[in-house]
Amino acid sequence: MQIMKRVRSMSTTIGILLLIWSFIMLVLLVIGGYFMFRKFLKKLPKEDGKSIIDWEEYYVNQTIDLWSEDQKALLNELVEPVPDIFQDVAKQKIGAKIGQLALERRANSITLDLLIEGYILATPKRDHKFLIKRLEEKEIDFSPYEHLLERNYKSGSQGT
């Protein structure tokens, strides 16, 4: 009789552990699937035949020679708060926006103005606090970009 109670108790415990493990695996699969689906949507071609990622790669490749070592170092500093696993994606997105601005303005090099403006336009408003903090640490005047920060705050708050 004692053995039967122990067997039932163990099978109940194992059943509960299996349910918990199944739930954890399901949550992890959903999270992974979400990020993969987002990547899939970015790879779908738009009206012009190119996807968001294709355009990002185009802008980065077209302007790769315009970047100085100082500007690359500043971009690396600005993406520091991003988790390591996503830093390459963040650099690509921000670098693409900066490259797009440089091509539109026919710039000969990536300037601090282009870098800051591209960062503001490419990132969500929650990242702008870090940008402002970093620019203040480096004693860089960001007042010419306040209109972009305000516009981004206003447009960001309407969408949420």
Side-chain angles (χ1 to χ4, degrees):
M1 211 44 126
Q2 282 290 15
I3 294 174
M4 292 302 286
K5 286 183 182 178
R6 283 188 181 170
V7 168
R8 282 189 193 146
S9 175
M10 283 179 49
S11 66
T12 304
T13 304
I14 291 173
I16 291 171
L17 288 175
L18 281 173
L19 281 173
I20 292 171
W21 177 251
S22 299
F23 179 74
I24 290 171
M25 290 303 296
L26 181 66
V27 168
L28 291 175
L29 284 170
V30 167
I31 291 170
Y34 169 75
F35 284 107
M36 288 181 69
F37 187 68
R38 282 183 50 192
K39 184 82 167 183
F40 169 75
L41 289 177
K42 286 184 177 183
K43 270 300 217 183
L44 287 177
K46 303 296 178 198
E47 300 83 35
D48 60 4
K50 289 190 175 186
S51 68
I52 293 171
I53 293 177
D54 292 337
W55 278 112
E56 286 178 0
E57 290 172 357
Y58 171 79
Y59 289 128
V60 168
N61 291 335
Q62 291 295 312
T63 59
I64 194 89
D65 297 332
L66 303 179
W67 288 82
S68 70
E69 290 303 316
D70 291 339
Q71 305 307 19
K72 288 179 186 176
L74 181 58
L75 180 60
N76 286 331
E77 282 183 45
L78 293 176
V79 296
E80 278 179 6
V82 177
D84 290 340
I85 194 168
F86 299 117
Q87 280 187 1
D88 289 338
V89 174
K91 281 189 243 183
Q92 166 113 1
K93 181 179 178 183
I94 296 166
K97 181 50 99 173
I98 295 166
Q100 179 184 3
L101 293 173
L103 288 176
E104 288 171 356
R105 297 177 186 172
R106 293 187 170 94
N108 295 328
S109 65
I110 301 296
T111 62
L112 184 62
D113 291 330
L114 284 171
L115 197 140
I116 294 171
E117 185 177 348
Y119 182 90
I120 292 169
L121 294 174
T123 56
K125 67 180 181 178
R126 67 179 176 267
D127 293 347
H128 298 166
K129 292 176 187 171
F130 179 78
L131 171 69
I132 291 168
K133 179 182 162 194
R134 188 57 58 134
L135 293 176
E136 286 173 345
E137 286 174 4
K138 293 186 166 288
E139 297 178 359
I140 298 173
D141 180 30
F142 63 91
S143 60
Y145 314 103
E146 286 182 1
H147 70 284
L148 290 172
L149 293 169
E150 290 173 9
R151 185 180 77 207
N152 238 10
Y153 282 121
K154 289 177 185 171
S155 67
S157 64
Q158 291 172 354
T160 54

